[in-house]
Amino acid sequence: MFSSCADPKAIEGLTWLLCYLTSGKHLDFYASFGTVLALLAITAPTALAFGFFGAMAARSPMLPLRLLGQGYTGMVRGIPDIVFFLFFVIALDQGIEWMVHQVRCPDWTEPVRQGLEFRVCPEAKVPSSNAAQTWHSLYGFGLAVFTFALVFGAFAANVLTGAMAAVPRAQLETAESYGMTPRQVFRRIMVPQMWVYALPGLSNLWMILIKATPLLFLLGVKDIVYWARELGGSKTQAYEYPHPDWRLYYFLFLLCFYLLMTWGSERVLGRVSQRLSLGQATAAGEAQRKAAA
Amino acid sequence: MKNILLTTALLALTTGAAAAQTVRLGTEGAYPPFNFINDAGEVAGFERDVGDEICKRAALTCEWVTNEWDSIIPNLQSGNYDVIIAGMSITEERDKVIDFSQNYFPPAASVYVATDPAADVATGVVSAQVGTIQAGHVAESGATLLEFATPDETVAAVRNGEAVAVFADKDFLAPIVAESNGELMEVGEPVQLGGGVGLGLRESDTELKAKFDAAIQSMKDDGSLNALIEKHFGPETAKF
């Protein structure tokens, strides 16, 4: 990065450290923090949407929809995360390629499964094997986001179902007596009021999601844990910056990062909780009312 | 604007099959000097040089990707990349599930490395990388096998006393021993394992295999392969 870093083996001390910390590999490491944050930023709302529709389906008066919603939450919640991440992603990837294969190569005669091999026609490869590595990484990241959203959506659905059930019946009845349709009652009364009941569960999920991001590594996405392990391992003279085993320092750095993330989240969620309790018929809302009076 | 972006993204993802097929080379990137991620964040090492040269001679466009060692064979089979070039020794067991090109690195010795010259490699705890021929050898030898996902961790286990010795390719361990200031040393007898290092391919990719075999043969014939081996492993390593 700097011109003084041209010959790393000739420099020492602080200059060496500065050059070391700005090597291409370290820049990749710093960029991977962006990957993790992007994953959180995309997954959290997607999971919430999955959860919202899951909860709506689970509470639906229509039996097939109800079974679908309950089946989704029940199944996904029951399967260990790690199994889900290992199995589901491969199945999803191969499922997508199989479908593209059916569309693009109807004349293909060879079987797609040959023993242990999964072989679709070259045109059906997603992403195409000619695509730049960036697209492969993006595709992998997309699969990861979808999987995370599916898993955390199931938990969110359960939390939201509970929150919807916790909205006082009297409130809904009042709305009905004003002549609102079930749809209006849901939109105007239930949804705005359920958040305060959902928040403790959802904030729990958010914390678990932050701590689950190292699972990205299992999905082949190069996240901060991958780079910390790669950079921290002892390096011989084959590398430009040889050093002994420094994994401890790298993992300590990650520890600080995760602590900072969860600490910051707790503060933000605390504020949100205060805000949502305002004027609610809950103990927290009552306490706020008394404090103001 | 959004639509244009989306369309180009989709195009980039799905088209381009008409152009020459890119061959994706899968490596581990954690096994110096065979393959490693250099400080610029790129794949480097002996196999980088060999792979680039083979692709040039076979007139193929190649792209490098990295993959964890323990899932490197399943991901080849599911088509994430087309070739394994990761210091993988040719063994009968692996040959049952994938195909190998002819070797581009001669059959080499594996050695035990320990901190104590009297380390008990016959019955003690010996570390090795998961899914390697060395791990298989340790499991059969009567010693207690301690497996790790990456080669680096197997050496770290010896340094911090978790294992009495590490068992791996001599060519991987030699530079580590040389640079340890006497902390690490070779113990016991070297063991000859495997039939050399070859490219791993899907069994159905016979055409690609033939191209690579021819390219490797031409590198063996004109001595350029030996020159690369000497460049990365020093003059004492076995050559063709």
Side-chain angles (χ1 to χ4, degrees):
Chain A
M1 193 171 182
F2 304 110
S3 56
S4 56
C5 302
D7 184 12
K9 292 196 179 159
I11 49 178
E12 280 179 347
L14 259 183
T15 332
W16 184 89
L17 193 66
L18 191 66
C19 289
Y20 174 67
L21 291 177
T22 52
S23 68
K25 216 172 177 177
H26 273 86
L27 297 183
D28 286 341
F29 175 51
Y30 306 140
S32 66
F33 281 90
T35 311
V36 169
L37 293 178
L39 176 93
L40 286 173
I42 303 171
T43 306
T46 320
L48 198 59
F50 272 55
F52 194 78
F53 289 111
M56 268 169 73
R59 288 171 52 87
S60 161
M62 278 189 293
L63 184 70
L65 210 57
R66 197 162 63 233
L67 285 180
L68 186 79
Q70 288 170 348
Y72 164 56
T73 50
M75 252 170 66
V76 177
R77 281 186 348 130
I79 299 170
D81 280 5
I82 202 153
V83 174
F84 209 88
F85 279 100
L86 287 178
F87 167 76
F88 178 76
V89 177
I90 298 173
L92 183 67
D93 181 32
Q94 296 194 347
I96 292 173
E97 288 190 349
W98 184 83
M99 281 193 292
V100 179
H101 175 83
Q102 298 300 318
V103 175
R104 290 227 178 118
C105 310
D107 307 324
W108 194 262
T109 48
E110 286 171 53
V112 171
R113 287 222 162 270
Q114 299 179 16
L116 291 165
E117 286 178 28
F118 178 81
R119 204 174 169 78
V120 293
C121 64
E123 292 81 20
K125 278 263 148 229
V126 182
S128 152
S129 50
N130 292 336
Q133 184 54 29
T134 324
W135 291 111
H136 287 271
S137 307
L138 268 181
Y139 176 69
F141 182 74
L143 286 184
V145 166
F146 184 73
T147 315
F148 266 100
L150 202 67
V151 171
F152 282 86
F155 286 96
N158 211 43
V159 169
L160 292 179
T161 314
M164 287 177 186
V167 176
R169 175 75 198 130
Q171 307 248 359
L172 306 177
E173 232 168 58
T174 312
E176 279 160 15
S177 67
Y178 270 97
M180 290 188 203
T181 63
R183 217 172 253 230
Q184 284 173 325
V185 174
F186 179 76
R187 212 176 56 234
R188 294 182 184 168
I189 311 297
M190 191 189 278
V191 173
Q193 299 218 63
M194 71 168 186
W195 294 113
V196 69
Y197 303 104
L199 196 68
L202 290 181
S203 53
N204 234 348
L205 272 183
W206 168 253
M207 294 296 189
I208 297 172
L209 178 63
I210 292 178
K211 294 194 296 169
T213 50
L215 284 175
L216 270 178
F217 177 49
L218 271 185
L219 302 179
V221 177
K222 287 180 182 157
D223 75 324
I224 50 181
V225 177
Y226 166 85
W227 282 116
R229 200 173 76 170
E230 170 62 37
L231 286 163
S234 61
K235 299 280 181 284
T236 58
Q237 293 292 334
Y239 294 85
E240 283 183 5
Y241 300 92
H243 62 73
D245 192 346
W246 282 355
R247 280 177 302 174
L248 181 67
Y249 307 113
Y250 281 92
F251 282 119
L252 266 179
F253 182 60
L254 290 197
L255 179 82
C256 295
F257 170 74
Y258 278 113
L259 276 178
L260 202 72
M261 281 292 292
T262 45
W263 176 78
S265 308
E266 256 174 29
R267 291 187 56 116
V268 171
L269 289 166
R271 291 229 169 148
V272 174
S273 163
Q274 288 258 312
R275 188 71 186 272
L276 285 176
S277 300
L278 209 64
Q280 286 285 353
T282 59
E286 181 64 14
Q288 281 181 355
R289 191 185 65 80
K290 278 193 179 141
Chain B
M1 188 61 204
K2 223 179 198 171
N3 272 328
I4 298 175
L5 277 179
L6 265 179
T7 327
T8 33
L10 278 176
L11 276 177
L13 275 172
T14 53
T15 58
Q21 205 65 37
T22 305
V23 175
R24 290 163 59 78
L25 306 177
T27 190
E28 184 193 10
Y31 203 52
F34 284 92
N35 59 75
F36 59 96
I37 310 289
N38 69 11
D39 291 278
E42 286 157 1
V43 175
F46 168 67
E47 284 171 328
R48 172 76 203 235
D49 289 349
V50 172
D52 284 348
E53 184 61 27
I54 291 175
C55 287
K56 205 171 100 193
R57 291 188 185 210
L60 296 164
T61 329
C62 291
E63 179 146 35
W64 290 87
V65 288
T66 51
N67 193 89
E68 288 289 287
W69 171 258
D70 57 358
S71 62
I72 207 160
I73 290 181
N75 278 343
L76 171 78
Q77 287 170 326
S78 65
N80 290 14
Y81 35 82
D82 308 299
V83 183
I84 297 175
I85 172 162
M88 188 178 271
S89 296
I90 301 168
T91 64
E92 256 178 58
E93 229 171 59
R94 287 179 184 143
D95 210 6
K96 281 179 194 151
V97 277
I98 57 173
D99 257 2
F100 281 104
S101 70
Q102 62 165 307
N103 57 10
Y104 55 84
F105 191 79
S110 301
V111 292
Y112 291 97
V113 161
T115 50
D116 173 10
D120 177 16
V121 297
T123 55
V125 179
V126 176
S127 64
Q129 190 182 12
V130 65
T132 57
I133 46 174
Q134 286 84 11
H137 179 81
V138 172
E140 283 166 15
S141 73
T144 309
L145 173 63
L146 186 61
E147 288 183 306
F148 290 94
T150 63
D152 182 59
E153 286 169 303
T154 62
V155 179
V158 175
R159 285 207 163 105
N160 65 27
E162 260 183 279
V164 298
V166 48
F167 187 53
D169 277 319
K170 184 183 169 123
D171 298 292
F172 163 69
L173 290 172
I176 297 174
V177 170
E179 288 171 33
S180 70
N181 297 324
E183 187 200 356
L184 296 172
M185 63 205 75
E186 264 181 46
V187 293
E189 288 299 306
V191 188
Q192 201 73 25
L193 288 177
V197 172
L199 302 171
L201 297 120
R202 281 183 292 268
E203 291 195 320
S204 51
D205 271 342
T206 46
E207 205 179 310
L208 194 62
K209 179 175 177 298
K211 278 187 194 168
F212 280 136
D213 272 336
I216 295 172
Q217 191 57 50
S218 86
M219 283 183 75
K220 279 181 178 169
D221 292 344
D222 67 9
S224 56
L225 189 57
N226 280 342
L228 281 179
I229 292 175
E230 193 161 328
K231 175 187 163 197
H232 288 276
F233 298 94
E236 279 145 49
T237 312
K239 288 187 272 284
F240 287 105

